[in-house]
Amino acid sequence: DSGNQGGLFGLFNLFVGGAFFRAGVFALGRMNSLFAVGQLARLKTRVTFKTTLKEIEKALENAATRQGMTKADLEELSIPTLGLETVGAADFQFGDVKAELRVQNSDVVLTWSDANGKTLKNPPSSVKKDFADDLKELKTNLKDLEQMLSAQSVRLERFVLSRKTWVFTDWSERYLEHPLVGCVARRLIWTFAFSGDVQNGIWCDGQITDSSGQALEINPAATVTMWHPLDSSSERVLDWRRFLETRGIVQPWKQAHREIYILT
C-alpha cells in the first residue's frame, strides 16, 4: 500500500546494516508486489555497503524469477514515482498553503505559496504543526527523488552501448510517460524503426519531433533504441546539436555532443 510507504521506508532507514534490515530486504524480495520491488530500487540509491547491495540485488533477481521476467524489466515496471503526479510535476495542498514540486533538468525545485498565491520562502508554522507527518514524507520524497533521478540518468546512459530495444508502447509507458523516468528520457534522442523505416526523435513541445522540429508519426509496433551519434552522419549530428541549443534542452549526459572519433 503506497499509503504506508513513508513508515515502511523509515523502518529500513532505522535498521540499515542490521539483521532486521537484511530480513526486510529478503521479505520485500518475496512479495509479489511492484510496490515492494520499487522500495528495493529506492533502497539501492541510498545503500553504499557492498554486502547489503548484494542482498538487494539478490532479492530483485528472486522477485524477477517469480514474476517470469528479467530483473531489468521488473525494475523498469516498479520504479517509484515518489509523489510525482505527471512527468516532473506534482502539487500538494496543506490547508490553505500549496507546495508545487517541479523537476527542472536534473534539479528538484519546491515552491510554497499561500491562499492568495503569494510565494513563501519556507512552509509556515501552521503546516509544520498541522501536517507534520505529511511534510516529513514530502521532504523524504524530495531527497529520494534527487538520488533516483541521478540513478536513472546513469541507468539510461548504459543503453547507449547495450543497445537495448523496446516495443514503442512499452517504451512509452515505462520511459516517456513515467512521472520520474520521463524527466530523463524526454531530454534524450531515440531511434524508432518499423518495416525498414528508421526515424530519430526527441520529446519537444508535447510531441516527438525530428531535428528540424517536425512531428513524427510512430507506429505503435515500432522498436525503440537509444540513439548514438555514430548512427548518423556528421551533418545530422550537427543538426541535433543546433536543435538542442536553439530550444535550450539540457541533456542529462553527453549524447548529441558525445565525442566520436572517425577512423581515417
Side-chain angles (χ1 to χ4, degrees):
D1 188 330
S2 60
N4 296 324
Q5 180 172 326
L8 176 64
F9 201 62
L11 284 175
F12 282 127
N13 284 335
L14 182 62
F15 293 99
V16 167
F20 183 88
F21 178 81
R22 292 193 294 273
V25 168
F26 176 80
L28 285 175
R30 297 289 297 176
M31 294 179 185
N32 290 320
S33 163
L34 289 180
F35 167 73
V37 178
Q39 295 307 298
L40 288 172
R42 193 174 179 181
L43 287 170
K44 281 178 61 178
T45 67
R46 285 196 169 196
V47 174
T48 57
F49 191 54
K50 290 184 179 181
T51 301
T52 307
L53 281 173
K54 288 181 180 179
E55 293 283 347
I56 294 174
E57 291 291 350
K58 183 178 179 180
L60 286 169
E61 290 173 0
N62 290 337
T65 299
R66 285 192 304 277
Q67 295 288 341
M69 62 179 71
T70 66
K71 183 166 72 73
D73 283 337
L74 182 62
E75 287 189 87
E76 283 185 353
L77 291 169
S78 60
I79 294 172
T81 61
L82 299 180
L84 294 175
E85 299 166 343
T86 58
V87 177
D91 295 333
F92 305 91
Q93 201 68 40
F94 299 87
D96 293 334
V97 178
K98 182 179 181 181
E100 296 183 1
L101 188 159
R102 299 292 183 268
V103 177
Q104 300 176 359
N105 295 325
S106 299
D107 297 321
V108 181
V109 179
L110 187 65
T111 305
W112 294 89
S113 60
D114 61 18
N116 298 318
K118 181 181 178 181
T119 301
L120 306 173
K121 290 185 178 180
N122 299 294
S125 57
S126 60
V127 172
K128 297 177 181 178
K129 177 182 178 181
D130 300 333
F131 301 93
D133 291 340
D134 294 331
L135 184 60
K136 181 179 180 181
E137 182 177 356
L138 176 58
K139 289 181 178 179
T140 299
N141 281 343
L142 285 176
K143 182 178 180 180
D144 290 344
L145 181 55
E146 292 175 343
Q147 294 176 324
M148 189 64 79
L149 283 170
S150 177
Q152 292 305 311
S153 178
V154 172
R155 185 174 71 88
L156 266 66
E157 187 172 13
R158 296 192 184 117
F159 297 149
V160 174
L161 296 179
S162 69
R163 313 304 280 170
K164 182 173 180 178
T165 301
W166 303 262
V167 174
F168 177 78
T169 50
D170 290 340
W171 171 83
S172 181
E173 177 184 356
R174 300 179 190 183
Y175 288 85
L176 192 66
E177 301 299 337
H178 190 281
L180 190 153
V181 185
C183 300
V184 180
R186 291 188 174 192
R187 293 183 287 137
L188 294 169
I189 305 165
W190 302 83
T191 297
F192 309 92
F194 182 75
S195 294
D197 181 31
V198 178
Q199 304 178 91
N200 299 318
I202 192 172
W203 182 263
C204 185
D205 297 331
Q207 58 191 346
I208 299 174
T209 73
D210 62 17
S211 59
S212 67
Q214 291 293 110
L216 300 180
E217 293 186 10
I218 303 172
N219 190 295
T223 58
V224 185
T225 55
M226 181 73 70
W227 176 83
H228 192 291
L230 285 175
D231 298 334
S232 301
S233 66
S234 299
E235 292 77 12
R236 187 61 62 202
V237 172
L238 290 175
D239 287 341
W240 275 118
R241 291 179 179 179
R242 284 190 287 266
F243 178 91
L244 297 173
E245 292 162 3
T246 300
R247 288 161 177 77
I249 298 175
V250 179
Q251 295 198 290
W253 35 264
K254 287 184 179 181
Q255 187 188 28
H257 289 81
R258 205 174 193 87
E259 294 86 353
I260 57 176
Y261 304 92
I262 307 299
L263 293 177
T264 61

